[in-house]
Structures are given as structure tokens and as C-alpha cells.
Amino acid sequence: MDNSAFFKIGYGLYVLTAAENGKDNGCIVNTVIQATNTPNRLALAVNKQNYTCEMISHTKQFNISVLCEGTDFNMFKRFGFQSGKDTNKFEGFNDVKRSENGVYYVTKTTNAYFSGNVTNEIDMGTHLLFTADVLEAEVLSERETVTYTYYQDHIKPKPEEKKAAKGWRCKICGYVYEGEELPEDFVCPICKHPASDFERI
């Protein structure tokens, strides 16, 4: 199977936020779709290793902030390259508001947000698939939504080539695994993608 074919599917990029027991958290996701419009319902897939996933599974509430093309790499580093289990991702970050469900949404370089109430949860192995009723939705700007392709081409820094580097590089975030053989069950410690998303260097 050619796993690179999956990169041809169009994706947006979003900050998924949740709150539980006075703790706020968020992560970057790329799998959000409008499932129905009568009623308005979203479906989203979230990696089980993300603390945000655990929080949503408990509280059944979340917000989605739709990132737009003006987003810089620091947003992805803040919400995508560290764990909320041991980091306060909102520390020093003031570009947020709380919606009626009490969860933050991001106001900087976003063009819309949605508040969701989970109606169903499906175990997909590495991910949980949530379906949710939309309780709130608001347009924040008219800027274009950042796509995964735009992120790869214009936002994500290009990895520096090391002389005589040997190992495997994550095609998603650039993390380098040093070693001749990459374990089949290896998961990137940065972006949580599997071994199939690594290339030999």
C-alpha cells in the first residue's frame, strides 16, 4: 500500500480545546468534518495519546478553532509539540475567549470557532472518533482556512540536513529517529504519527 496517497486527501488544521476540573488544554487536529446539517453535527478524530482526547471523553464538551493562513509556526509548537499532561499550553497566551460551555477558543489567526457536545464516541484503535452536536458557531474573520498542504509548504520550517545523517525522519514534523531499523510500532514522540509516516535519511 502506498501510504503517501493519504496525503492527497485535503485537510484543514484546527486547535481543539477542552476543560476539566479547572484545567484548560488544547491540541492540533486535522480531522474535522461537518457530518450533517439537520441537526448541525461535527465528526472529529483525536489521537488517544492526546490529553485533550481524554478530557473530551470525560466531559463530552469541546471547542474547535479554525486556523487561517496567517498562523505562524509558534501556534503549532504551542498546541502540537508538547503534552498538556505536564505543560500549561495557555500560559502566557492571551488570545482566547471562553464560549458558553466554559471552554477556551482561540481568537488569534482563526476564522471561526465551534462549540460541540459529544453525542457518540467510537474507538478507532489509535484514535477516538467523536460525533457532536454544534451548540455555538461564529465566524471570526474572512481569511482562508490553513490546509495541511499550506502548512507543509509555507509554515513548517524545513528540516536542516545533517551531514551523513542516518536514520528515519518523520514526514509530518521532521523528528529524526537515529537507527538503522525503525520499529514497526514506533510512534513519533512529537506529533504522534506512526512508523508509516517516516522516511529513511
Side-chain angles (χ1 to χ4, degrees):
M1 180 184 300
D2 183 358
N3 285 320
S4 64
F6 290 96
F7 294 118
K8 302 301 183 185
I9 299 174
Y11 298 94
L13 289 167
Y14 314 89
V15 178
L16 172 65
T17 48
E20 183 180 22
N21 299 325
K23 166 106 174 159
D24 296 295
N25 197 48
C27 65
I28 300 290
V29 295
N30 66 355
T31 311
V32 176
I33 63 167
Q34 181 179 3
T36 64
N37 66 354
T38 310
N40 284 313
R41 190 165 281 168
L42 296 175
L44 58 148
V46 190
N47 193 304
K48 289 179 183 177
Q49 293 186 25
N50 288 341
Y51 184 41
T52 309
C53 183
E54 181 181 322
M55 296 171 83
I56 294 169
S57 188
H58 294 162
T59 67
K60 309 303 181 190
Q61 294 184 323
F62 65 86
N63 285 348
I64 289 284
S65 302
V66 183
L67 295 170
C68 56
E69 290 183 356
T71 307
D72 67 27
F73 188 61
N74 287 329
M75 185 77 76
F76 295 94
K77 286 171 59 178
R78 175 179 292 275
F79 290 105
F81 291 2
Q82 55 186 346
S83 173
K85 291 179 180 177
D86 48 34
T87 303
N88 178 0
K89 295 187 182 184
F90 289 96
E91 185 175 2
F93 186 76
N94 300 315
D95 298 302
V96 291
K97 289 184 180 177
R98 289 196 190 274
S99 59
E100 289 186 15
N101 64 5
V103 177
Y104 277 142
Y105 65 92
V106 178
T107 58
K108 179 182 180 181
T109 60
T110 53
N111 59 23
Y113 85 89
F114 300 87
S115 293
N117 187 48
V118 174
T119 57
N120 196 20
E121 178 182 311
I122 302 170
D123 191 325
M124 304 290 288
T126 58
H127 289 61
L128 290 181
L129 180 67
F130 297 106
T131 58
D133 288 332
V134 176
L135 305 180
E136 292 181 71
E138 183 179 342
V139 173
L140 302 176
S141 81
E142 296 302 325
R143 300 191 74 168
E144 290 291 324
T145 299
V146 66
T147 64
Y148 190 72
T149 300
Y150 185 93
Y151 166 77
Q152 292 286 336
D153 292 343
H154 301 287
I155 298 174
K156 177 183 154 186
K158 303 301 181 206
E160 294 181 14
E161 295 294 334
K162 294 181 180 178
K163 289 185 179 179
K166 291 185 179 180
W168 299 80
R169 178 183 294 117
C170 177
K171 293 184 281 188
I172 308 304
C173 70
Y175 172 82
V176 173
Y177 173 88
E178 295 182 1
E180 189 61 34
E181 295 299 324
L182 182 70
E184 289 184 12
D185 61 350
F186 187 78
V187 174
C188 179
I190 304 297
C191 69
K192 310 295 188 258
H193 277 250
S196 59
D197 286 331
F198 278 71
E199 60 187 354
R200 184 183 289 278
I201 55 173

